């Protein structure tokens, strides 16, 4: 059990917010978070912020200084980056600083304002910098293409089918339709997914998460200070992080996320749980294949059977394991640096029975799984309602 | 005149022809021309087109790699690299340095780009002959390569194609002995492209008699006179091949029977590869030649000049050419494009 | 791709030059300064044959900047016969012919170009083995 608790959260709705900025979105998330935790800016000892690439998306670096003061927070601030896992990594660093005794209370922010780039080639290139810039992006690889390489290899090795992958998108859109903060709140059919435009064969448009804007924040504090801010704190039971080669081609097995296995092992050990103890999970479904890999590599099903597991409905809301009750990256949206924090917020709400129509019925233990790049970084966090 | 006793010649040769083709009749269709008449008039069925990621440099490298493989030499032993082309991808920045790095000749080597319309490649051969014969270097690499462009609708569009030929010139393990070379050069502006212009311009029928025919005929006649040889002394003859009509007419005029020139006429199936044209014609002959065969080759470059060579095929060629892609194999490996795909391949669609 | 980022890798991109650990013989592509297996800095230049096979592939329709003219193109992970793997494009092949396990060989191609005026980057791509006869 880690010695920290989450006592308040806040986020913007995920979407394409052409009329709002990196700074504006973050300010909104911070204001909601302060209100949620009933905390004053003076009580915040430090800020940790995770954008993936404000430099490429917004021509803005140094956002540790851009964000806090604009919202009236002058605590020391630090940016943490691990591509799409930046938000979760920022939370880990915040927890470490608290457990090390440096700070009592920290504000953690995840943000990405992606639609300042309107040329899809530029967006693709900016995201592509999370792969091996010289040896993947530099030879024409994109993220959909890298995950397409994984998907093709998975289909070849395990006989997984396009229908199985499509079922992930259908399920996540269904969950997203129940989430008022989701970018897409619309049901989609198997036919829609399987007949959508090809992006990088075999990946089609509806296998992909969207380009999104969003900011999400939370307050993390020492366990024994938690009740000062809320009657229902959410406790971090365990955290784990794992890495692997940044380039897919250098990994031992293209169809396995070793980083996820490493992160899961650490997180479960620290939380003293087994996979069967998990009631629901937010996994990183940047592409449908990514959710399938997460199901397998975290251990919900046998390796190679993740797609079948999904197609058979085992991952639907309140079935065997509720996977991505928020709608996941697919439907809720994927403002990359913010995604890890949005996942924690979903777990926070589910554990506190605040998830409305998508509320899971079993909610003692919730987990987040957030990856960076094509899975070179993974962060797994385990949360619980009880201390 | 190259006429002393030190033997210098080709120690390896390689070609590369992109696999895409467009039929002459397909181009004629776009411009409302009588396709069959154009095809028969030129003696060209179809022409080669580079892939979208191919250019003069990439096809030079492919040809050079084939030549190095045939020669069985260490690439670092190549001490000169000349790339002759009228379609160097950069106006300033040598193709030859890229080719030299890619084949592994760099850094202890000299390198330069040459331009002399369609004879820049054979100019490189002469430069290598000079360096090797004088003892300055042991092995030189001379490449003729082009991804040529014809103005849409212009007569040149039917034939302007892509191909490369690389010759390694040295003294050891000679496959083809180059006995003599001499040139015939005047200032004859029959074809040109100004700096910054996309497409070349030409003098129409002026490119014939005062240009192509005058230079090739003079070069051929001079070299035969100076070596006391006649067409009967040659097993094959190779002339620059902008189409089939011109080299066939030249051979006839000089007294070479048709069967001595036909084996060189790759142009019928790949079009005019410009700087590579006569060199690919030579390679097509060398792919089938027997030891002891004697070859007369005359290139032509607009502007204008012709380089003539007398060559003797040596024994080693039979073993060395095994396993190296042949001109005919490249000709056979083809994918047809229609005119719209052709415009995409040749960068004629404005993307930005 | 900025000039220095491309230029310093020319030996690898143009002729598949990597390194071989002098102690344990492990091959690296691209080169590695230190062998991660035996912790030695002793190494020699190693030029890979350029023969390999396709491990997995995709046809890309939405490319990054600088690759638009070539779509759709085939992206693949190729395992070199000496062991190391790399990400590359497969060229000179019909779409329906590309398969996992297909033998491929080195081909020298343009990789990208920075607009009409920028530098052109060249390097390896792969094509079906035995070009042009495919025997």
């Amino acid at each position: 059990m880690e010695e920290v608790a989450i006592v308040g959260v806040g986020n913007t709705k995920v979407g394409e917010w052409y009329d709002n900025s990196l700074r504006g979105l973050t300010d909104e998330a911070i204001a909601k978070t302060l209100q949620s935790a009933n905390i004053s800016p003076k009580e915040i000892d430090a800020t940790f912020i995770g954008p993936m690439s404000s430099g490429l998306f917004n021509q803005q670096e140094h956002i540790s200084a851009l964000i806090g003061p604009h919202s009236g927070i002058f605590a020391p601030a630090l940016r943490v980056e691990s591509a799409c896992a930046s938000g979760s990594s920022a939370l880990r660093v915040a927890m470490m600083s608290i457990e090390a005794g440096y700070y009592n209370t920290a504000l953690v922010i995840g943000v990405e304002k992606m639609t300042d780039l309107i040329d899809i080639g530029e967006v693709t290139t900016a995201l592509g910098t999370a792969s091996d810039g010289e040896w993947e992006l530099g030879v024409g690889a994109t993220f959909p293409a890298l995950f397409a390489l994984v998907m093709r290899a998975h289909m070849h090795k395990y006989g997984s089918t396009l229908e199985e992958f499509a079922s992930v998108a259908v399920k996540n859109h269904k969950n997203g339709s129940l989430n008022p903060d989701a970018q897409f709140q619309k049901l989609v059919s198997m036919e829609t997914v399987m007949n959508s435009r090809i992006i990088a064969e075999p990946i089609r448009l509806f296998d992909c998460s969207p380009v999104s804007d969003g900011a999400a924040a939370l307050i993390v504090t020492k366990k024994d200070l938690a009740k000062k801010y809320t009657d229902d704190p959410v406790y971090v039971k365990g955290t784990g992080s794992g890495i692997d080669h940044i380039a897919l081609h250098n990994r031992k097995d293209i169809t396995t996320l070793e980083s996820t296995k490493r992160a899961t092992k650490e997180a479960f050990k620290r939380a003293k749980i087994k996979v069967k103890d998990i009631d629901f999970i937010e996994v990183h479904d940047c592409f449908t294949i990514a959710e399938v890999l997460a199901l397998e590599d975290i251990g919900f099903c046998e390796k190679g059977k993740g797609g079948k597991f999904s197609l058979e409905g085992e991952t639907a809301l309140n079935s065997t394991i509720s996977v991505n009750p928020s709608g996941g990256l697919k439907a809720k949206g994927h403002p990359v640096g913010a995604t890890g924090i949005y996942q924690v917020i979903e777990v926070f709400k589910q554990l506190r029975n605040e998830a409305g129509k998508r509320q899971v019925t079993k909610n003692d233990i919730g987990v987040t799984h957030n990856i960076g790049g094509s899975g070179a970084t993974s962060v797994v966090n385990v949360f619980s309602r009880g201390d | 005149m190259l006429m002393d006793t030190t033997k210098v010649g080709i120690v390896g040769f390689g070609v590369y022809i992109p696999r895409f083709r467009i039929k002459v009749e397909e181009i004629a269709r776009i411009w409302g021309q009588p396709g069959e008449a154009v095809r028969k008039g030129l003696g060209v069925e179809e022409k080669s087109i580079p892939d979208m990621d191919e250019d003069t440099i990439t096809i030079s490298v492919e040809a050079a790699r084939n030549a190095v493989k045939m020669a069985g030499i260490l690439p670092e032993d190549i001490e000169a690299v000349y790339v002759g082309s009228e379609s160097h991808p950069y106006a300033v920045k040598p193709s030859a340095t890229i080719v030299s790095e890619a084949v592994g000749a760099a850094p202890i080597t000299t390198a330069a780009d040459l331009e002399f319309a369609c004879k820049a490649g054979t100019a490189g051969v002469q430069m290598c002959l000079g360096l090797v014969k004088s003892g300055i270097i042991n092995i030189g690499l001379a490449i003729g390569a082009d991804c040529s462009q014809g103005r849409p609708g212009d007569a040149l569009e039917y034939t302007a194609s892509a191909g490369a030929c690389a010759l390694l010139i040295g003294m050891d393990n000679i496959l083809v002995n180059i006995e003599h070379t001499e040139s015939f050069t005047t200032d004859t502006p029959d074809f040109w492209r100004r700096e910054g212009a996309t497409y070349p311009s030409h003098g129409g029928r002026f490119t014939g008699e005062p240009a192509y025919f005058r230079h090739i005929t003079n070069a051929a006649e001079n070299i035969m006179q100076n070596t006391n040889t006649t067409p009967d002394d040659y097993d094959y003859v190779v002339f620059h091949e902008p189409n089939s009509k011109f080299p066939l007419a030249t051979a006839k005029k000089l007294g070479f029977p048709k069967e001595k020139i036909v084996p060189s006429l790759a142009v019928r199936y790949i079009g005019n590869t410009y700087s590579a044209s006569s060199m690919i014609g030579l390679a097509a002959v060398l792919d089938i030649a027997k030891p002891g065969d004697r070859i007369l080759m005359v290139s032509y470059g607009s502007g204008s000049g012709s380089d003539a060579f007398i060559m003797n095929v040596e024994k080693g060629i039979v073993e060395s050419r095994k396993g190296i892609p042949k001109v005919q194999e490249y000709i056979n490996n083809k994918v047809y494009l229609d005119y719209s795909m052709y415009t995409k391949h040749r960068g004629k669609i404005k993307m930005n | 791709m900025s000039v220095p980022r491309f230029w310093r890798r020319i030996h690898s991109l143009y002729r598949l030059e990597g390194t071989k650990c002098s102690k344990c013989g492990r091959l690296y592509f691209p080169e590695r300064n230190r062998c991660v297996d035996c912790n030695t800095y002793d190494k020699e230049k190693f030029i890979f044959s350029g023969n390999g096979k396709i491990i997995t592939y995709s046809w890309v329709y939405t490319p990054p900047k600088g690759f638009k003219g070539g779509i759709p193109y085939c992206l693949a992970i190729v395992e070199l016969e000496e062991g190391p793997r790399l990400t590359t494009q497969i060229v000179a092949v019909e779409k329906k012919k590309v398969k996992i396990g297909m033998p491929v060989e080195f081909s020298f191609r343009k990789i990208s170009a920075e607009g009409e005026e920028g530098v052109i980057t060249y390097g390896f791509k792969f094509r079906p083995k035995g070009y042009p006869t495919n025997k």
Side-chain angles (χ1 to χ4, degrees):
Chain A
M1 175 62 91
E2 316 295 348
E3 297 301 312
V4 295
I6 293 164
V7 296
V9 301
N11 61 269
T12 68
K13 184 175 183 294
V14 182
E16 296 172 295
W17 306 129
Y18 295 107
D19 56 354
N20 208 342
S21 65
L22 175 70
R23 174 173 10 212
L25 290 167
T26 317
D27 185 54
E28 181 185 331
I30 291 171
K32 286 178 174 169
T33 305
L34 295 177
Q35 196 179 18
S36 158
N38 195 22
I39 192 171
S40 87
K42 286 199 298 287
E43 293 170 89
I44 294 167
D45 300 320
T47 298
F48 297 90
I49 180 160
M52 173 190 149
S53 191
S54 54
L56 292 175
F57 287 119
N58 321 102
Q59 296 288 299
Q60 179 69 62
E61 303 293 18
H62 203 190
I63 73 163
S64 49
L66 177 87
I67 299 304
H70 179 73
S71 300
I73 299 164
F74 290 86
L78 181 68
R79 169 176 166 175
V80 181
E81 190 270 317
S82 57
C84 309
S86 297
S88 294
S89 296
L91 172 60
R92 271 174 62 82
V93 176
M95 291 192 295
M96 288 172 194
S97 71
I98 291 169
E99 296 208 24
Y102 264 81
Y103 304 120
N104 288 330
T105 304
L107 170 67
V108 183
I109 304 160
V111 62
E112 213 74 59
K113 166 66 197 166
M114 300 169 75
T115 62
D116 278 357
L117 293 184
I118 52 175
D119 179 300
I120 190 65
E122 283 191 29
V123 176
T124 302
T125 303
L127 288 169
T129 61
S131 70
D132 190 321
E134 291 179 338
W135 298 106
E136 291 185 321
L137 177 63
V139 301
T142 64
F143 265 94
L146 291 171
F147 277 94
L149 295 178
V150 178
M151 188 161 150
R152 174 98 61 191
H154 195 277
M155 292 168 75
H156 182 77
K157 188 169 180 183
Y158 298 109
S160 44
T161 66
L162 294 171
E163 197 182 17
E164 290 171 3
F165 292 109
S167 73
V168 172
V170 171
K171 180 265 295 175
N172 285 345
H173 269 267
K174 191 174 176 190
N175 291 351
S177 73
L178 306 173
N179 182 355
D181 282 344
Q183 184 166 353
F184 301 128
Q185 298 173 33
K186 204 170 85 177
L187 299 175
V188 298
S189 67
M190 290 290 277
E191 291 66 38
T192 304
V193 177
M194 294 179 74
N195 295 321
S196 58
R197 176 163 66 87
I198 295 173
I199 302 296
E201 210 177 76
I203 283 184
R204 289 175 183 265
L205 183 66
F206 273 75
D207 288 301
C208 309
S209 56
V211 170
S212 315
D213 300 329
L218 54 81
I219 300 287
V220 59
T221 189
K222 283 171 98 163
K223 205 154 71 175
D224 52 16
L225 294 175
K227 289 273 160 91
K228 184 177 162 193
Y229 300 107
T230 178
D231 293 337
D232 305 307
V234 162
Y235 297 93
V236 183
K237 279 180 76 72
T239 176
S241 179
I243 63 164
D244 201 351
H245 289 287
I246 189 164
L248 197 55
H249 58 244
N250 283 330
R251 298 188 199 151
K252 202 172 70 186
D253 174 13
I254 290 164
T255 56
T256 298
L257 296 177
E258 276 307 321
S259 68
T260 291
K261 293 178 92 162
R262 291 182 179 121
T264 302
K265 196 175 167 193
E266 185 196 350
F268 284 14
K269 192 177 161 197
R270 295 177 76 99
K272 297 188 179 66
I273 64 154
K274 293 196 164 34
V275 70
K276 64 173 169 46
D277 300 322
I278 300 171
D279 295 316
F280 64 96
I281 185 166
E282 286 284 305
V283 302
H284 195 97
D285 60 317
C286 49
F287 299 92
T288 51
I289 171 70
E291 178 160 323
V292 168
L293 295 182
L295 294 172
E296 296 169 0
D297 296 333
I298 294 168
F300 291 107
C301 62
E302 201 183 314
K303 187 69 205 170
K305 298 278 174 63
K308 190 164 175 270
F309 194 67
S310 175
L311 183 64
E312 288 173 355
E314 308 283 355
T315 59
L317 203 61
N318 293 320
S319 63
T320 309
I321 169 83
S322 300
V323 178
N324 280 329
S326 71
L329 284 54
K330 175 74 199 83
K332 184 213 63 214
H334 185 27
V336 286
T339 283
I341 304 300
Y342 274 101
Q343 291 178 323
V344 176
I345 291 175
E346 177 67 11
V347 170
F348 183 89
K349 287 181 177 169
Q350 291 285 358
L351 290 174
R352 287 161 48 118
N353 291 306
E354 292 169 353
K357 287 181 188 164
R358 65 185 191 284
Q359 180 63 46
V360 298
T361 48
K362 283 195 299 178
N363 66 342
D364 290 325
I365 292 182
V367 172
T368 60
H369 163 257
N370 188 198
I371 69 174
S374 58
T377 297
S378 289
V379 178
V380 171
N381 290 320
V382 182
F383 303 89
S384 72
R385 203 146 24 98
D387 181 351
Chain B
M1 279 299 284
L2 181 86
M3 262 189 154
D4 72 51
T5 49
T6 320
K7 266 190 164 185
V8 176
I10 299 167
V11 298
F13 63 92
V15 300
Y16 182 86
I17 300 157
R19 69 191 191 118
F20 295 101
R21 303 282 184 276
I22 186 167
K23 286 183 182 285
V24 163
E25 290 185 30
E26 167 69 2
I27 298 171
R29 179 179 71 86
I30 301 303
W31 307 110
Q33 297 298 312
E36 200 184 339
V38 175
R39 174 170 65 82
K40 285 185 173 162
L42 293 168
V44 177
E45 302 289 319
E46 54 206 44
K47 68 169 189 172
S48 62
I49 304 163
D51 206 343
M52 281 167 284
D53 55 359
E54 289 182 310
D55 63 15
T56 294
I57 290 171
T58 68
I59 65 175
S60 294
V61 171
E62 295 282 359
R65 284 171 63 95
N66 284 339
V68 169
K69 200 172 156 198
M70 181 186 287
I73 56 162
L74 292 174
E76 52 262 43
D77 291 342
I78 299 169
E79 293 169 289
V81 178
Y82 295 114
V83 180
S85 179
E86 58 112 70
S87 56
H88 292 290
Y90 289 97
V92 177
K93 151 101 193 73
S95 302
T97 55
I98 297 170
V99 174
S100 165
E101 283 278 3
V103 299
I108 311 300
T109 189
T110 181
D113 287 2
L114 305 175
E115 189 281 308
F116 194 147
C118 297
K119 81 156 196 91
T122 56
V125 174
Q126 289 182 328
M127 289 165 74
C128 286
L129 286 169
L131 288 170
V132 173
K133 204 149 180 100
S134 62
I136 294 172
I137 66 168
N138 287 309
I139 301 173
L141 172 61
I143 297 170
D146 261 306
C147 290
S148 55
Q149 285 271 20
R151 191 186 304 276
D154 185 272
L156 290 180
E157 196 190 14
Y158 294 109
T159 52
S161 71
C165 181
L167 301 182
L168 280 162
I169 306 298
M171 279 187 293
D172 299 325
N173 303 316
I174 291 170
L175 309 180
V176 183
N177 180 24
I178 301 180
E179 290 176 2
H180 306 283
T181 181
E182 68 173 88
S183 300
F184 185 89
T185 309
T186 72
D187 184 20
T188 307
D190 60 328
F191 170 95
W192 61 88
R193 180 165 62 83
R194 292 273 297 276
E195 181 72 39
T198 309
Y199 299 111
S201 304
H202 58 86
R205 286 183 58 79
F206 183 74
T207 59
E209 278 309 328
Y212 178 93
F213 292 109
R214 177 184 176 213
H215 290 80
I216 293 208
T217 307
N218 274 288
E221 283 175 347
N222 290 351
I223 201 167
M224 285 194 284
Q225 191 177 10
N226 289 330
T227 55
N228 293 316
T229 56
T230 69
D232 291 343
D233 296 316
Y234 298 92
D235 300 285
Y236 297 102
V237 63
V238 182
F239 296 134
H240 172 53
E241 40 195 84
N243 48 51
S244 297
K245 192 171 71 175
F246 280 24
L248 281 169
T250 309
K252 190 173 179 185
K253 186 178 165 197
L254 289 169
F256 288 93
K258 204 173 171 185
E259 59 270 23
K260 288 189 179 179
I261 189 156
V262 166
S264 73
L265 296 179
V267 61
R268 184 174 289 279
Y269 307 103
I270 61 172
N272 181 4
T273 55
Y274 283 55
S275 299
S277 173
S278 55
M279 294 171 74
I280 287 177
L282 172 67
V285 167
L286 294 180
D287 282 343
I288 56 168
K290 296 184 302 297
D293 281 348
R294 201 175 208 199
I295 302 164
L296 171 66
M297 170 194 185
V298 187
S299 65
Y300 172 73
S302 287
S304 293
S306 280
D307 300 328
F309 301 84
I310 294 173
M311 302 179 219
N312 254 310
V313 179
E314 303 277 335
K315 273 199 204 103
I317 199 166
V318 178
E319 273 306 306
S320 295
R321 71 189 172 195
K322 279 184 185 163
I324 308 298
K326 310 225 171 329
V327 173
Q328 192 59 46
E329 291 171 346
Y330 279 109
I331 287 174
N332 294 347
N333 179 40
K334 60 186 173 185
V335 174
Y336 286 107
L337 300 183
D338 61 14
Y339 196 87
S340 48
M341 280 302 284
Y342 160 72
T343 61
K344 183 183 175 191
H345 272 245
R346 293 308 287 126
K348 293 175 198 285
I349 301 175
K350 209 164 158 52
M351 302 288 285
N352 39 26
Chain C
M1 183 70 61
S2 79
V3 170
R5 270 185 100 198
F6 156 68
W7 169 81
R8 66 173 168 262
R9 298 182 296 131
I10 274 177
H11 57 292
S12 314
L13 288 164
Y14 284 13
R15 50 180 190 268
L16 291 179
E17 193 177 310
T19 50
K20 181 180 180 180
C21 171
S22 302
K23 206 166 149 194
C24 73
R26 179 163 170 183
L27 298 170
Y28 290 98
F29 183 85
E31 79 272 12
R32 204 95 52 102
N33 235 356
R34 182 178 64 84
C35 178
V36 294
D37 283 349
C38 60
N39 194 28
T40 178
Y41 285 82
D42 295 336
K43 58 184 187 296
E44 54 205 70
K45 182 173 96 174
F46 184 89
I47 296 185
F48 289 87
S49 66
N51 295 320
K53 63 176 181 188
I54 294 177
I55 296 300
T56 181
Y57 66 95
S58 168
W59 286 89
V60 180
Y61 288 78
T62 307
K65 274 173 75 177
F67 291 83
K68 206 168 183 174
I71 57 168
Y73 55 84
C74 183
L75 188 84
I77 292 178
V78 164
E79 184 174 286
L80 300 172
E81 65 181 5
E82 298 91 345
R85 292 177 172 187
L86 46 81
T87 301
T88 186
Q89 288 182 30
I90 306 298
V91 296
V93 69
E94 267 53 68
K95 200 172 164 205
K96 60 178 186 297
K97 290 200 175 149
V98 178
K99 295 268 181 320
I100 289 175
M102 180 185 206
V104 290
E105 66 183 22
F106 175 95
S107 175
F108 190 80
R109 298 275 176 145
K110 256 193 307 196
I111 294 180
S112 64
E114 304 262 319
E116 292 288 303
E117 298 189 355
V119 75
I120 306 166
T121 60
Y122 293 91
F124 61 79
K125 290 186 183 178
F126 283 73
R127 64 188 176 207
K129 188 158 168 49
Y131 193 85
T133 54
N134 298 327
K135 268 186 227 148

